[in-house]
Structures are given as C-alpha cells and as structure tokens.
Amino acid sequence: MCEDCDYQVTSSSLGGHALLRISDLPTAITDDLTGMDMVLGTGLSPYPENLREFPSVSISDASGPWSCGNLGNLELTGAPDPGGVGDDEIQPDDEIAAAAVHIAYDWPHGGVRSCSGVLVSPTQVLTAAHCFHATTAPKHLKLSVGERAPVLQPNEPTFGAVSITTHPSWNGAKPALKFDLAIVELDHKVSVPPVALAGFDPLPNCVAKVEAYGFGVGAVAADMFDWGILRKVGLLAQPKLCVDAGGQHCIDTDTLLAYTPPGGFAADAHGLCHGDSGGPVVATCGDYRQVVGVTAARVLAVPDNRDIPDETPLEPLAAAFAFTHHNVCGRDDAVGFAATRLDSPEVQSWLAATLGWPEIIEVPLSKF
C-alpha cells in the first residue's frame, strides 16, 4: 500500500500475499499487535514457498511512511541458507530427532506461528498447551515429523490434525504454566517409532545433563528468518531455580522441571528461544534416553530494584512468528528454563487416558 492510498492493495510479488499498510486501528487492536511484535519493519524477508498458502498479513511500522516504490524494489531470493540442515550435533540415527514434530498454523492476528512437539504414538504428538490460541482449529495445523528444516523444504510431506486435547487442569494462566500439555491427533499414522516417556522423577533417576529439541529461533538477530530448523540444546537439571538473589522466589518444582545452560547465558549460547515450546526434554536414564519434560518457558531474573512479583516470572517460549521482531533471542536477565513435568500422577493418568495406555492395576503384596 502507498502512504497516500486508502486501503488499495497493489500487486504483490510475494506469490499472492499483499503487504498491507493499515492505519487508524482501534487502540486495543494496535496495542495487541504491538505487544506481539506483529510489525513488519524495514528490510523485507522472502516468504518461503511452502508457507505462501497461509493467508498471513503483515502490519507495517506506523512510524515512517511506505511508498509504492518500496514494493517495486522487492526482490525475492528464496529461503536463506541455514548453513546446513538442522543442528550439526544431531546424528542421522537420532531417534528423538526422527520423532521431532514441527507445528505451524496461521495466527488469528496475522503471521505464521511456529511451535515444537514430539511423536508419542503413531498418530499423536505431545506438545505445550500454550502453543495454541483458544480459537485454533485443528484443521489449520500443518505438522512435519522428523524433518530437520520443514519450513524451508516445500516439497516435504506434511500431516494434518483432527483434534487438540489439552490437560484438563490447564487454564491458560500465565506465568504459572501448570499442566501446560496438549496432545495433537494426526489425520493418519506416521511410520516412525514414537519416543519413550518417563513416568518417574528424573532428578534422582537420570543423568543431570539433558538435551532439549526444538524448532525455535536460533539466531540472535531479530531480522533473520531463522526458525523452523531443528536444533538440540544441552541443559543442566537443577533441583531448585530461583529468580531473586535471596532465593525466596523459585519456580514450582512440583509441576515444572528447572534447567540452566551449561555455558551460561552469552548471546551466542542463549539456549532455548521462541518456537521451542512443546519440544521434548530428553534425559539418559539408566540404559535408555527418555522424554522427561516438555519445554515451556524461559525463567527471568528479578532486578534488585524491582519488587518480587506475585508469580514466578516465566516467559513462554511459543510463538516463533514469520517476519516479526518477536524472534529476538538472547536475554541477559534469564536465569534458566522450565519444562512441564511428566511424572506427576495428574499428568500420568491424563497421558494414559489420552494415549490409550493399558490400565495398570496394583495388587497388594499381601494378596500373594
């Protein structure tokens, strides 16, 4: 759109997508879009071929006019080279990577939202409940299983979804993120072995170093198109994780597992980021690798000059958006990461019912 045009869409070189300059929006909508960083700033990124079917709309920065010439000078060069497909540390025979799931769908306010998950049965994907908007319809989901860079490979097969089932105790509350789990039912079976889910406390039973898999943002720069590529991040399990120096305000370890990056929080080793929500956290337990948690949030520190909040400050790691400044990675005030536990009775019973696990009946020893 031109600065002097009144809602007139010009021809677009983005394969049917129009770049819209929308002004005079109600304040509530403008604040909502700004809060989610749903703003297309200077420097347009190429739209990947396989995402052009999404009816996404980008909102221009209200400061500074666009001109029709800006659109005319747009050159599409194709998807950027990610420097290889996925994380170089992921081996070809990695069974977790083979079962890793990328989830993408059109966000109600515009843009393509991205999240992570893992295959837990031939037709079911475990992910985070906060990955979805309350009005997200299963038919709008597009899922790729075992692909290292699904959004950059338009010819790779994708799966559809027929249902989204969240844990009954999940209420969307932030930042508590209790029982932040969802099961997505696929429209057909996947010929990939599902992962093993742990039903015990990983702290005393597993190695402290874990690996988190996800399709989140990997670059620090906000203007880079750098999500939808599978990566593996090493983390260290912590029995306690507090956000204040005094150690009086800590995450709820009854429902969440706490982790910190082994190499600290340098910008080039930020750990997890937006879009990694729902991805599996894998630990070595005895002779096996098992999923012990589902990535939920980054844990943020409380500055010394700020009052302690009523809730532990957790920043959900869903919402890797195409073409938005929401994709910023690296936070100096992060103290760790939180994953939803899978070993609590409330989660285990829900998983058993939703995944159709056989019922286990305990018989007292005195009966024998």
Side-chain angles (χ1 to χ4, degrees):
M1 279 196 164
C2 310
E3 177 68 12
D4 56 351
C5 299
D6 184 19
Y7 298 106
Q8 177 183 353
V9 179
T10 63
S11 61
S12 170
S13 55
L14 287 181
H17 277 71
L19 299 180
L20 302 181
R21 168 76 182 230
I22 301 178
S23 59
D24 298 325
L25 289 174
T27 302
I29 297 179
T30 302
D31 291 344
D32 193 18
L33 293 173
T34 303
M36 293 191 300
D37 296 316
M38 294 302 298
V39 174
L40 179 65
T42 58
L44 303 177
S45 302
Y47 210 92
E49 181 68 33
N50 62 315
L51 293 183
R52 289 181 180 175
E53 62 188 85
F54 287 93
S56 305
V57 176
S58 298
I59 309 299
S60 76
D61 190 343
S63 61
W66 274 8
S67 69
C68 290
N70 289 351
L71 261 180
N73 294 331
L74 179 64
E75 295 182 2
L76 294 181
T77 58
D81 181 5
V85 181
D87 192 330
D88 291 338
E89 294 185 1
I90 299 178
Q91 301 302 312
D93 60 349
D94 190 324
E95 75 280 7
I96 305 298
V101 179
H102 180 256
I103 304 169
Y105 67 95
D106 193 63
W107 185 244
H109 299 288
V112 179
R113 190 171 191 177
S114 172
C115 231
S116 305
V118 66
L119 196 68
V120 290
S121 87
T123 59
Q124 292 166 309
V125 174
L126 178 64
T127 184
H130 78 263
C131 284
F132 309 108
H133 187 266
T135 60
T136 301
K139 65 179 180 180
H140 293 153
L141 303 186
K142 298 180 76 68
L143 302 96
S144 296
V145 181
E147 301 299 338
R148 301 292 180 87
V151 298
L152 302 182
Q153 300 177 14
N155 296 323
E156 294 296 342
T158 57
F159 294 83
V162 296
S163 67
I164 302 172
T165 304
T166 58
H167 191 282
S169 296
W170 165 254
N171 60 6
K174 296 179 182 180
L177 297 177
K178 293 183 178 180
F179 305 108
D180 185 4
L181 298 169
I183 296 289
V184 177
E185 184 82 24
L186 301 177
D187 57 5
H188 61 283
K189 290 184 178 181
V190 183
S191 58
V192 173
V195 299
L197 302 180
F200 46 79
D201 187 343
L203 286 177
N205 295 291
C206 304
V207 177
K209 184 177 180 180
V210 301
E211 296 165 326
Y213 292 72
F215 293 88
V217 181
V220 175
D223 293 331
M224 294 182 67
F225 182 84
D226 190 46
W227 54 265
I229 303 172
L230 181 62
R231 295 180 176 87
K232 180 176 67 174
V233 175
L235 300 172
L236 288 178
Q238 303 293 340
K240 187 177 183 179
L241 186 60
C242 304
V243 303
D244 58 318
Q248 300 297 314
H249 204 71
C250 311
I251 71 168
D252 179 8
T253 54
D254 288 337
T255 57
L256 297 173
L257 297 171
Y259 299 100
T260 56
F265 286 88
D268 59 350
H270 54 76
L272 302 171
C273 198
H274 298 295
D276 284 323
S277 276
V281 176
V282 182
T284 299
C285 312
D287 296 330
Y288 302 96
R289 298 175 74 212
Q290 298 190 340
V291 176
V292 297
V294 170
T295 296
R298 177 190 286 115
V299 183
L300 304 179
V302 177
D304 293 336
N305 59 352
R306 188 179 301 174
D307 293 335
I308 300 296
D310 294 333
E311 296 272 5
T312 303
L314 300 181
E315 179 184 61
L317 290 177
F321 285 101
F323 310 128
T324 76
H325 296 288
H326 198 78
N327 288 346
V328 174
C329 273
R331 290 285 296 270
D332 293 337
D333 55 353
V335 297
F337 301 96
T340 305
R341 300 186 73 110
L342 299 182
D343 62 311
S344 69
E346 297 91 341
V347 171
Q348 285 289 301
S349 60
W350 173 74
L351 287 172
T354 308
L355 301 180
W357 289 348
E359 184 177 0
I360 299 177
I361 302 175
E362 294 187 13
V363 179
L365 188 60
S366 59
K367 297 294 183 180
F368 291 93

